[in-house]
Amino acid sequence: MRLIFNIHYITHFGQSLRLHLSDGVSGRERVYGMTTTDGDLWTCQIDADRAAMGDVVTYHFSVAVDGHEVRREWLTLPHKLELGNTRTEHVETDCRWSDMPCDSYLYSSAFTGCVNRRAATPLPPCAYSKVLRLIVRAPQLRSGQRLAVVGRGKPLGDWRPSCAIAMYEHSYNEWVADIDAAQLGSDRAELKFIAVGDKGELLWETGPNRTVLLPRLHDGDAAVMELDQAFFELCDEKLAGTLIPVFSLRSEGSFGVGDFGDLRRMIDWVAETHQRVLQVLPINDTTATHTWTDSYPYSCISIFALHPQYADLRQLPPIADKEAAARMEALQKKLNAMPQIDYERVNAAKTEYLRIIFDQQGRDVMRSEEFAAFFHRTEHWLVPYAQYCHLRDTYGTPMFAQWPDHNTWDEADRAALSSPSSEQWHEVEFYYYVQFVLDKQMRAAHDYALARGVILKGDIPIGVNRNGCDVWHEPQYFNLDMQAGAPPDAFSANGQNWGFPTYNWQRMLRDGCQWWVRRFQNMSQYFDAYRIDHVLGFFRIWAIPTSCVHALTGQFAPSLAMTRDEIESYGLRLDERFMTEPFIARWVVDRLFGTHADEVVAKYLRHEHDDIFSLRPEYDTERKIEAAFGHCHEADDIMVRDALYALCSNVLFVRDHDRPDAFHPRITAQFSTVYETLADSDKEMFNRLYNDYFYRRNNDFWYGEAMKKLPVLVQATRMLVCAEDLGMVPDCVAWVMERLRILSLELQSMPKDPTVRFGLLSRNPYRSVCTLSTHDMPTLRQWWDEDAQRTQDFYSSMLYRNGNAPHPLPGWLARDIISRQLTSPSMLCILSLQDWFAMDERLRLPDADAERINIPANPRHYWRYRMHVTIEQLLADKEYNDNIKEMIDECGRRV
């Protein structure tokens, strides 16, 4: 058969178009060069065996210069051509170049699989001798609506909707219909598309009638025409949702921590209250030390493995040993009655339970075809993960550099670890089994969410544990000499040091960011939307030397460091010793240490000249100081330690990690004592340099860095992409998010417009997530009582109310605040469960502080918040649920 592909694309000198075609038999992609006579219409002719092409081929186009690809189409929805339903031997296709559309979110699995879910409709057989095939995209169609085409002439129904030609959704939001071209009797067809509801209701597309010019066809020919998108007078859909960590869920039968069974029950509550989104925090395994410090959900040891604490033990067979079963039942009741999570006891108990079930019948499960399919699908990461867990527990530490052997993954071990008859298999088989159970349960929860029309939204942390399996398995992707974190902000004056290794992006880009692609694709098995944690990390990360505890002497990486000449071009003379080494004058010591000044001088400092000192070598880094003080608890010791930290960071510039002759202004240097010593004119010059560097110098550079990475990741799956774009946000972040159609995060208390104190909800972009607080922030009730003057200003200016703001926040006023959030233009309004509780004084906790999930300023925070009512109680609370339903319906967020 002969296939001809045509596409209009105006090229520049030196550019050429290529066709990438995958057949329906092998799935292998072949690349064909295209030809043109005018630099506009490009053509490719392929003569192929029909059987070799298969029933369906998919394809896309790219632009190349000197054989190298410089641009490609949007790959989320490739072109699709059905060949098996006709007998035609000559097919000519008129294609349209497809860039990422403004409404790309409608092609996400969040909308096609949950909100606007429709049953697939394959194209039926066609016996016409001459075929005109129309292909058009109609992403606005709702669940229950289907597309049809109607037009002039009998073959098109003579404009009668009852005689319209039904179309078939052969790809997400893309519809196709075959028309008998022999009956059209003209060289053009006049037509229009209509949306037909499941009850017969009609909606005509907007705009004038379409006119399609028909090519001359012979018997056995087919003309395929891709047309412009069909638009209908349908408003954008807005959805409401809830944020709650899985570990915070509570049901009558959970085991002291939320699990994947509780997630199903929470989906019921979300659906019952007319919400459509349930957002959770990361669910990956964080087990490093088997202590409460592993409760931090953003420090995963594996980007693929799920946390064993989320196993729903109720879905497993009962324990056969009656004594053990009774003991576990009593322990479950005891742990589940606790107001907060006891991470260590819960995980120890659930691990013991899982081992009992594994010994009881786990090996039988692992001989099943279901387990074999799971192992085949996951073995790339599962085998190293299981060996890592075995070695971690055998040697009693996750710090693989300290292990007596196996300090990094050895690919030669894979064969033995994958053979059920080997000794190595038996060492790790328990970990295989647990991940199989978790995967099966989480997939079931996801399927249940789809069935109930609820979007499960996950969370992708920006970092990984430096002692975790990912770093052990694939160390080439990480820089272990640096730590990732965040610069100072309103929540942490010293910045945040997460301790994660930074990424070796140069190495990642060499293989097309496959590590990230695998990560996103694995996540798409469980979720239909996701939040990119700290999206700024894809532009630049705050990189902190491993010698630091705090983050003040970090620097953005990558970034354009400043040379001496560039610094001095601002009029500021660079004195390297004074500006890049800790400035320690006697008056600084007296101010920081007070009555302890003499003691500090004698023990920790070395005299240099005049009244200038330096830190002794044994105390000249924050890590050395941390080690010297250990886990001090006395107030005086803590004060001295923290003041010594301050001395370490008392600089105006930090040297670039890679170029010792280049420099970065130290973040928030204006609050340092070394800044005080500058003359007013030098302060003015430093401030100008500082603002240029942090807010203007790197914008275009960071834009380019993000566009190397994010387009690949955004198109790796069809999940709806949302980003946490808070903090020190350069202008280029908005440029990239607009281009890639990524949803922003909008908080009224943290407006992106620097000219206002509180954000105006009416200005929220549609492609955004609106919320009152995140897991890193005070809840609405806490925020209300934190700063009385700020609250009063908000009460008067945003809520338009007279008088004094009431304290604590009354339920009726919380309801008003929530209602205003729901009426914003944002596509998603997702509130924490605690903020939903705030509007019901009968239901919420008396102590607002007990509802806080995380305190970012405390790097050793214990993540143990748990909802205080059970999901069963929540589902039974008709008064409260009706209140939420009423608000959501009134605000137009019920779909």
Side-chain angles (χ1 to χ4, degrees):
M1 70 182 306
R2 172 167 293 178
L3 302 176
I4 300 176
F5 297 88
N6 303 314
I7 186 170
H8 284 277
Y9 187 99
I10 298 175
T11 52
H12 301 296
F13 180 78
Q15 292 182 333
S16 62
L17 253 64
R18 299 190 297 188
L19 169 69
H20 303 250
L21 185 142
S22 300
D23 63 66
V25 178
S26 68
R28 184 166 63 89
E29 181 180 283
R30 296 177 176 85
V31 182
Y32 301 89
M34 303 187 74
T35 60
T36 183
T37 58
D38 59 3
D40 176 11
L41 177 62
W42 291 80
T43 299
C44 179
Q45 178 177 303
I46 301 173
D47 292 313
D49 179 70
R50 174 184 280 273
M53 297 303 290
D55 291 338
V56 179
V57 298
T58 58
Y59 58 96
H60 70 273
F61 300 96
S62 69
V63 181
V65 175
D66 295 330
H68 299 289
E69 184 177 298
V70 295
R71 189 183 182 205
R72 65 169 53 183
E73 288 189 286
W74 183 48
L75 297 184
T76 298
L77 193 68
H79 303 268
K80 184 175 181 180
L81 179 61
E82 288 91 349
L83 302 173
N85 74 313
T86 70
R87 297 193 300 268
T88 54
E89 292 296 329
H90 183 281
V91 180
E92 185 163 356
T93 303
D94 287 340
C95 307
R96 293 178 179 270
W97 180 276
S98 176
D99 279 323
M100 182 182 289
C102 292
D103 56 6
S104 61
Y105 55 89
L106 290 173
Y107 295 85
S108 70
S109 59
F111 278 83
T112 63
C114 299
V115 180
N116 296 328
R117 193 176 190 182
R118 290 184 293 269
T121 52
L123 189 63
C126 172
Y128 303 143
S129 60
K130 300 176 183 179
V131 179
L132 171 64
R133 177 172 296 173
L134 301 180
I135 299 177
V136 66
R137 294 178 180 178
Q140 292 173 288
L141 296 193
R142 306 291 202 250
S143 180
Q145 289 182 319
R146 310 199 67 79
L147 200 66
V149 59
V150 66
R152 185 184 301 278
K154 187 175 181 181
L156 291 172
D158 280 328
W159 296 112
R160 290 177 295 176
S162 60
C163 299
I165 298 174
M167 302 190 74
Y168 300 87
E169 191 174 12
H170 72 159
S171 290
Y172 298 109
N173 294 326
E174 187 170 86
W175 299 77
V176 58
D178 286 338
I179 298 170
D180 187 356
Q183 299 297 317
L184 289 175
S186 174
D187 62 352
R188 65 191 59 213
E190 189 177 358
L191 54 87
K192 220 171 180 66
F193 296 104
I194 56 175
V196 183
D198 51 9
K199 296 181 181 179
E201 58 270 43
L202 299 176
L203 187 63
W204 292 75
E205 70 169 322
T206 60
N209 297 341
R210 298 175 183 248
T211 300
V212 177
L213 300 179
L214 307 177
R216 181 175 296 176
L217 299 177
H218 303 284
D219 286 347
D221 288 355
V224 181
M225 312 194 88
E226 295 182 354
L227 304 181
D228 288 336
Q229 177 173 319
F231 286 97
F232 295 90
E233 290 184 340
L234 293 169
C235 62
D236 291 326
E237 295 168 287
K238 299 195 301 179
L239 313 173
T242 292
L243 164 65
I244 180 75
V246 175
F247 61 75
S248 297
L249 297 173
R250 182 191 296 270
S251 69
E252 301 292 345
S254 49
F255 212 111
V257 67
D259 56 44
F260 291 150
D262 295 335
L263 189 60
R264 290 175 61 118
R265 294 169 180 82
M266 195 65 185
I267 289 166
D268 285 334
W269 178 76
V270 167
E272 169 65 24
T273 52
H274 294 179
Q275 300 179 66
R276 299 301 295 270
V277 187
L278 178 55
Q279 179 177 338
V280 298
L281 299 191
I283 57 175
N284 296 102
D285 191 2
T286 60
T287 309
T289 64
H290 295 288
T291 66
W292 67 265
T293 57
D294 295 343
S295 67
Y296 181 26
Y298 288 87
S299 183
C300 61
I301 63 166
S302 170
I303 59 173
F304 300 106
L306 302 175
H307 202 304
Q309 72 176 353
Y310 296 130
D312 179 8
L313 305 181
R314 292 161 292 188
Q315 296 184 44
L316 300 177
I319 296 175
D321 185 302
K322 293 184 178 179
E323 182 179 339
R327 179 169 56 85
M328 281 295 173
E329 183 179 358
L331 188 56
Q332 179 270 327
K333 288 183 169 58
K334 184 175 183 179
L335 292 174
N336 210 38
M338 299 180 67
Q340 294 179 305
I341 300 166
D342 186 329
Y343 183 90
E344 295 175 16
R345 292 178 65 194
V346 163
N347 277 271
K350 297 192 79 167
T351 299
E352 181 186 359
Y353 194 110
L354 287 166
R355 284 197 177 273
I356 292 172
I357 297 299
F358 173 73
D359 291 338
Q360 183 175 300
Q361 64 185 79
R363 291 177 181 86
D364 293 335
V365 171
M366 294 175 70
R367 285 191 286 269
S368 67
E369 291 184 3
E370 188 179 13
F371 177 82
F374 164 76
F375 190 85
H376 177 73
R377 176 168 48 85
T378 62
E379 61 182 324
H380 170 78
W381 64 265
L382 180 64
V383 175
Y385 164 79
Q387 188 186 38
Y388 167 88
C389 291
H390 167 67
L391 294 169
R392 173 201 63 201
D393 295 346
T394 298
Y395 296 131
T397 177
M399 302 177 72
F400 47 81
Q402 298 178 8
W403 294 348
D405 49 42
H406 293 89
N407 302 115
T408 189
W409 162 253
D410 186 349
E411 189 63 28
D413 292 340
R414 184 179 292 275
L417 291 163
S418 303
S419 173
S421 61
S422 71
E423 180 182 347
Q424 291 90 332
W425 170 281
H426 294 299
E427 290 176 345
V428 301
E429 59 183 344
F430 171 70
Y431 304 104
Y432 293 159
Y433 171 74
V434 171
Q435 287 302 311
F436 169 73
V437 168
L438 292 164
D439 175 78
K440 184 177 181 179
Q441 291 185 0
M442 186 59 205
R443 283 172 172 273
H446 178 227
D447 290 343
Y448 188 70
L450 290 174
R452 298 230 56 184
V454 172
I455 300 168
L456 277 186
K457 181 182 176 187
D459 197 329
I460 294 186
I462 188 60
V464 299
N465 190 314
R466 69 172 45 244
N467 295 311
C469 177
D470 296 313
V471 180
W472 178 73
H473 178 205
E474 298 178 297
Q476 68 272 21
Y477 292 133
F478 304 93
N479 299 316
L480 293 176
D481 58 342
M482 301 301 295
Q483 307 171 96
D489 56 23
F491 305 103
S492 181
N494 291 317
Q496 298 177 47
N497 183 349
W498 303 322
F500 308 140
T502 59
Y503 293 114
N504 182 353
W505 281 110
Q506 290 183 338
R507 175 62 183 83
M508 287 181 162
L509 288 167
R510 283 207 299 270
D511 65 13
C513 294
Q514 283 304 300
W515 186 86
W516 283 96
V517 170
R518 291 195 303 267
R519 182 181 191 180
F520 279 58
Q521 290 177 344
N522 181 74
M523 190 175 185
S524 68
Q525 301 173 99
Y526 310 125
F527 299 100
D528 292 295
Y530 64 92
R531 165 190 177 269
I532 302 178
D533 172 46
H534 195 67
V535 73
L536 302 178
F538 292 91
F539 295 76
R540 76 294 187 273
I541 197 69
W542 190 246
I544 308 158
T546 53
S547 60
C548 294
V549 174
H550 293 316
L552 290 174
T553 52
Q555 60 190 246
F556 286 124
S559 62
L560 303 175
M562 304 183 73
T563 65
R564 171 185 289 273
D565 289 344
E566 286 178 308
I567 292 172
E568 294 188 344
S569 70
Y570 283 83
L572 184 69
R573 189 178 71 84
L574 179 62
D575 181 338
E576 291 190 28
R577 181 171 178 79
F578 169 64
M579 295 182 173
T580 66
E581 299 295 331
F583 173 72
I584 307 175
R586 178 65 201 221
W587 67 267
V588 174
V589 177
D590 291 340
R591 178 188 295 182
L592 292 179
F593 297 94
T595 58
H596 295 277
D598 290 338
E599 172 193 345
V600 168
V601 169
K603 185 174 182 179
Y604 300 104
L605 303 182
R606 182 172 61 187
H607 183 256
E608 296 292 338
H609 62 85
D610 301 317
D611 69 337
I612 302 299
F613 296 82
S614 64
L615 289 160
R616 292 182 182 274
E618 58 268 37
Y619 305 111
D620 62 359
T621 71
E622 293 178 10
R623 289 295 178 198
K624 291 179 181 179
I625 294 167
E626 180 186 45
F629 280 80
H631 297 295
C632 57
H633 301 288
E634 296 296 328
D636 284 355
D637 289 342
I638 294 173
M639 183 276 292
V640 171
R641 182 200 63 189
D642 291 349
L644 287 170
Y645 287 161
L647 289 183
C648 289
S649 61
N650 196 28
V651 296
L652 285 176
F653 292 92
V654 294
R655 291 186 187 274
D656 186 74
H657 298 152
D658 300 318
R659 295 175 52 200
D661 61 340
F663 307 89
H664 307 259
R666 203 217 81 182
I667 193 78
T668 62
Q670 292 87 342
F671 298 105
S672 67
T673 52
V674 65
Y675 178 81
E676 288 184 39
T677 66
L678 297 179
D680 288 346
S681 59
D682 287 343
K683 289 179 180 177
E684 188 277 329
M685 289 182 282
F686 179 83
N687 291 343
R688 187 158 51 88
L689 174 153
Y690 182 97
N691 290 331
D692 283 346
Y693 174 84
F694 282 114
Y695 296 102
R696 288 180 282 274
R697 178 182 178 88
N698 290 283
N699 255 326
D700 290 337
F701 175 70
W702 287 335
Y703 175 86
E705 289 298 306
M707 290 302 293
K708 293 176 185 176
K709 310 158 191 169
L710 283 174
V712 176
L713 308 185
V714 165
Q715 297 185 65
T717 73
R718 289 197 311 108
M719 291 186 289
L720 180 66
V721 188
C722 311
E724 182 265 290
D725 55 336
L726 304 177
M728 196 173 182
V729 183
D731 293 343
C732 60
V733 173
W735 307 341
V736 171
M737 291 179 62
E738 171 63 27
R739 181 167 176 178
L740 299 181
R741 320 303 188 212
I742 299 174
L743 274 64
S744 63
L745 181 61
E746 305 295 329
L747 281 92
Q748 195 171 18
S749 59
M750 295 179 65
K752 294 185 170 72
D753 181 353
T755 65
V756 299
R757 185 172 188 186
F758 304 109
L760 299 177
L761 295 175
S762 61
R763 295 183 183 175
N764 284 7
Y766 174 67
R767 281 199 305 267
S768 69
V769 180
C770 175
T771 191
L772 285 165
S773 63
T774 73
H775 63 274
D776 281 334
M777 299 177 184
T779 63
L780 172 61
R781 292 168 64 201
Q782 286 182 303
W783 181 87
W784 189 263
D785 287 334
E786 266 186 349
D787 184 330
Q789 185 56 56
R790 179 188 63 192
T791 298
Q792 186 62 51
D793 292 344
F794 180 83
Y795 183 75
S796 302
S797 63
M798 294 291 104
L799 303 182
Y800 308 107
R801 296 183 179 276
N802 298 319
N804 295 325
H807 290 274
L809 179 67
W812 64 266
L813 188 52
R815 188 186 192 280
D816 181 30
I817 294 171
I818 290 172
S819 178
R820 292 169 188 266
Q821 300 286 318
L822 290 169
T823 57
S824 76
S826 297
M827 179 194 303
L828 306 180
C829 180
I830 301 177
L831 307 180
S832 70
L833 185 64
Q834 302 94 304
D835 287 344
W836 281 115
F837 282 161
M839 66 182 194
D840 193 316
E841 296 179 36
R842 171 183 54 85
L843 188 60
R844 69 191 193 186
L845 278 173
D847 180 10
D849 292 338
E851 296 178 336
R852 184 77 183 259
I853 294 177
N854 181 39
I855 302 174
N858 178 10
R860 292 178 59 81
H861 180 74
Y862 192 171
W863 296 63
R864 59 190 314 201
Y865 167 73
R866 215 168 167 218
M867 56 190 290
H868 61 286
V869 297
T870 66
I871 303 173
E872 291 88 346
Q873 291 171 326
L874 200 56
L875 281 165
D877 197 330
K878 186 176 185 303
E879 178 185 350
Y880 176 67
N881 295 337
D882 286 347
N883 194 4
I884 293 179
K885 283 191 285 190
E886 179 183 330
M887 293 173 64
I888 290 174
D889 294 353
E890 286 179 349
C891 296
R893 290 190 177 270
R894 183 183 184 185
V895 178

